[in-house]
Amino acid sequence: APVPAWVPAGCRSGVVEVQRSVTAVLGQDVVLPCRYRAQEQEQVVQVTWLKRGPAGRSAEVAVLNRQHGEHVQEPYAGRVLRRAGGALEDGAIVLRN
């Protein structure tokens, strides 16, 4: 989910909105939501999705970048799509099947 890497002192940052849990049905698509409620003059440049694995290790699933588009890692190619076009404040993805 998008989070500002650095916020100057005295500046407020927006809020990341995610669902604590998402229910999926085997064989059907599921939306993994993530929305960033930006403050004035903030802009989301990149959203990175990670899969948390055993022992707390994380593996990159997809990167959504404002300039360079979408990049999905090989194990998920064809199964992960961006849900919406436009601004990355909506960084939701669809996990197919």
Side-chain angles (χ1 to χ4, degrees):
V3 177
W6 176 78
V7 178
C11 289
R12 296 183 344 157
S13 62
V15 177
V16 177
E17 297 177 348
V18 294
Q19 286 183 268
R20 196 157 189 83
S21 105
V22 175
T23 301
V25 176
L26 187 63
Q28 294 187 10
D29 296 354
V30 64
V31 174
L32 303 180
C34 180
R35 176 170 286 282
Y36 185 71
R37 297 283 179 197
Q39 294 291 319
E40 192 176 338
Q41 297 190 4
E42 274 190 317
Q43 188 175 58
V44 177
V45 175
Q46 181 169 297
V47 176
T48 302
W49 280 91
L50 304 171
K51 179 180 179 182
R52 187 178 303 151
R57 296 185 63 177
S58 295
E60 189 176 280
V61 173
V63 175
L64 314 176
N65 186 283
R66 191 168 147 250
Q67 263 190 310
H68 304 291
E70 305 163 30
H71 176 73
V72 177
Q73 293 298 328
E74 189 53 44
Y76 304 98
R79 292 193 56 219
V80 172
L81 309 166
R82 186 166 174 212
R83 182 182 67 174
L88 284 176
E89 279 74 9
D90 183 353
I93 57 173
V94 177
L95 182 59
R96 300 189 66 198
N97 189 19

